[in-house]
Each structure stands twice: as C-alpha cells, then as structure tokens.
Amino acid sequence: MVEWTDAERSAITGLWGKISVDEMGPQALARLLIVAPWTQRHFASFGNLSSPAAIIGNPKVANHGKTVMGGLDRAVKNLDNIKATYAQLSVMHSEKIHVDPDNFRLLSDCITVCVAMKFGPSCFTPDVQEAWQKFLAVVASALSRQYH
Amino acid sequence: MSLTVKNKDTIKSFWAKVAPRAEEIGTDALSRMLVVYPQTKTYFSHWKDLSPGSAPVRKHGKTVMSGVAEAVSKIDDLTNGLLTLSELHAFQLRVDPANFKILSHNLLVVLAIQFPDDFTPEVHVAMDKFLSAVALALSEKYR
C-alpha cells in the first residue's frame, strides 16, 4: 500500500486542481511523440506525424492527449487505491494496446516537464515535484501491474 | 541516437541563453535531485547540509554546470573530450551511471521551468539527446 504524507496529498490534489486536462494533455502527448519518436508506433492511424509542427497541430493527437491525461483524474480521486482503480486499464494496456511499460515513465516525464513549465518555480517546488513524481510513479506501477 | 547537425545548432543556441544562469540552474537541478530521488544523497554523506539551495549544493551545482558547459564546447567529440571527467567519475567518484539519467531529468525540468517559452519540444529532444550523449561519454572509462 502506498503511504502518502498530508503534504504529498495536498501537493497532488492542489496541482491537479489547477491543471487543465484539455490544455496540458495535448501538450504532454505531443511532447512524448517528439522527444521519444519510437512511441509513435501506437499511432499509425493518426495521420501526419512527420514533424514536430505536424504532431503539435494534429487533432487526433490532441484528442488522445485529453483522453490519456483525463485518465489521471481517477487516480487523484483514489490515491489510496490506485492499483485496484487501474486494474482494468492495466489489462487493456498489456493485452489490447501492447504498450511497453517503459513508455509510462517516458510519458510521466513529459507530463512533469509540461507541469513545470506551466507552474514555475514558486509553485512547482522540489517538494511538490517529489509528490507529483511519486504520484506518477504509482500510476505507472499500477498500469504495469497486470502485465504478464 | 547520435546528435544531428540540427541538434547541435539547437543545443548551442539554447546554451547561449542558459549559460548566464548556469549556477542557479545547476543548484536547482541538484536540489531537486536530492529531494525527489533521495537515494542520490548517498553520494554526499560528507556534506553538512543537503537541503535545497544550501552552500554545498550551490557550490556543487556550479561545478556540475561547468562540466556541462565543457561538454557543449566539445560537442563534436564528447567521448574524447570528456575522458578526464570520465576517469574521475569511474575511478574516484564511482557514481553508478544510472544516476546520470536522474540528474539529466532534473536538469531538463529546471530548464523547462526557467525557459518556458524556449524549451519547445524540439529543444527538449535535442537537450535530452545531448545529456544522454554526455552520460555515455562519462561512462566510457567505467569498465
């Protein structure tokens, strides 16, 4: 069971409350596809991914970014039970989509960079970064849990 | 995943903006590394104060960033250019090379914070590739 301090809980929920999924989801996913282009393997049907500009302007990427980032909401609302909350999603990522779990870490890092850029040093302090990265690591672990 | 000509140009122009704030950036990156990845504190048990922005952290942040600056100047041949630094890390400091990735990540986070308008996805990928190449060069003499 993951143990969260009060400070961590409040950092995570506080940040989540300020994040616009519609704004940041597309940014984070686009950044992933640009920074780690091998992740494009899952998006052959998305059309033009041939350049950073194409990726950033691609509406399918934007929509999917919102879906993926929106998925974090259930984890924030179930901090004490993320593993169970994501059991089905984990099976889906393994059996249906066949995502290498290392990609969860890559996307987490891109999300962290977007959050850092948006909120700056006075909000995204080292302690807040610690809580946020711990949260994303727990999410990644839960998503990897049902792989076999 | 070697650096293209375009990557190198991107890195050098971005670095020109970074260089004046190098000490601050190095300090913040190290501070965050020690908080977010507490296992990295094991390398600094000889410091009196490991808290963010402390004197030893500040001093070391400056040292690390001058190493990165050296790497930028030797970007066309990192392996040979960083041989001495690699020997230092391999034989004296004996830092587990996994930690290079950790520090690189924190450097990228700080660059994103300090340059929200400049740290575009293209700059991000170029810097990530560069820091990975630096890490590889630093690992050269390990075994």
Side-chain angles (χ1 to χ4, degrees):
Chain A
M1 236 275 302
V2 185
E3 295 203 8
W4 306 100
T5 63
D6 288 341
E8 284 169 340
R9 279 178 205 272
S10 104
I12 294 159
T13 54
L15 262 186
W16 188 249
K18 291 192 257 224
I19 287 173
S20 156
V21 161
D22 285 351
E23 185 195 359
M24 207 175 275
Q27 286 171 357
L29 185 61
R31 202 164 273 261
L32 175 70
L33 296 173
I34 294 165
V35 173
W38 53 95
T39 56
Q40 292 171 23
R41 75 182 268 255
H42 297 290
F43 304 109
S45 64
F46 274 27
N48 187 3
L49 297 177
S50 59
S51 70
I55 291 169
I56 291 167
N58 186 312
K60 287 187 172 176
V61 170
N63 273 334
H64 197 64
K66 294 178 195 176
T67 302
V68 170
M69 189 105 183
L72 288 175
D73 192 62
R74 279 196 295 147
V76 176
K77 298 199 157 71
N78 290 283
L79 281 178
D80 291 312
N81 207 4
I82 294 178
K83 195 162 66 183
T85 303
Y86 279 163
Q88 300 273 55
L89 259 183
S90 178
V91 171
M92 185 182 99
H93 281 75
S94 164
E95 303 302 301
K96 196 163 158 245
I97 326 179
H98 309 292
V99 177
D100 181 336
D102 195 55
N103 290 342
F104 304 145
R105 183 188 58 82
L106 286 171
L107 178 58
S108 295
D109 285 349
C110 285
I111 292 173
T112 298
V113 164
C114 289
V115 167
M117 282 169 84
K118 178 81 186 173
F119 296 114
S122 50
C123 169
F124 199 63
T125 61
D127 284 336
V128 170
Q129 183 183 341
E130 188 273 336
W132 181 248
Q133 288 200 211
K134 181 175 166 179
F135 167 66
L136 290 177
V138 171
V139 166
S141 168
L143 283 174
S144 315
R145 191 70 177 74
Q146 302 302 324
Y147 278 60
H148 63 93
Chain B
M1 293 198 269
S2 41
L3 296 169
T4 62
V5 170
K6 190 155 174 255
N7 285 154
K8 291 183 192 179
D9 284 340
T10 303
I11 291 157
K12 286 185 228 179
S13 348
F14 184 61
W15 187 258
K17 299 185 191 179
V18 171
R21 296 196 231 168
E23 185 179 328
E24 187 191 336
I25 287 165
T27 302
D28 198 11
L30 258 184
S31 301
R32 287 171 187 273
M33 183 186 82
L34 295 167
V35 169
V36 181
Y37 301 86
Q39 69 271 25
T40 58
K41 294 196 287 190
T42 54
Y43 292 96
F44 304 106
S45 51
H46 54 289
W47 286 356
K48 275 210 172 72
D49 184 358
L50 285 152
S51 60
S54 71
V57 171
R58 182 158 289 277
K59 180 164 178 255
H60 198 59
K62 200 171 168 193
T63 303
V64 167
M65 287 304 270
S66 60
V68 178
E70 190 185 340
V72 175
S73 74
K74 296 179 180 173
I75 202 169
D76 290 318
D77 188 358
L78 287 169
T79 310
N80 284 313
L82 299 181
L83 266 179
T84 313
L85 270 176
S86 181
E87 280 167 4
L88 172 72
H89 285 75
F91 304 134
Q92 282 183 49
L93 304 173
R94 288 179 286 201
V95 175
D96 188 321
N99 294 299
F100 300 149
K101 244 188 215 181
I102 292 175
L103 179 56
S104 296
H105 167 71
N106 285 289
L107 271 168
L108 292 174
V109 169
V110 173
L111 291 172
I113 287 175
Q114 292 289 330
F115 300 98
D117 299 321
D118 297 294
F119 199 65
T120 60
E122 291 99 316
V123 169
H124 181 165
V125 64
M127 287 305 296
D128 194 14
K129 281 176 78 174
F130 171 63
L131 292 173
S132 304
V134 171
L136 195 62
L138 282 177
S139 314
E140 177 68 20
K141 302 300 263 178
Y142 269 67
R143 55 176 176 176

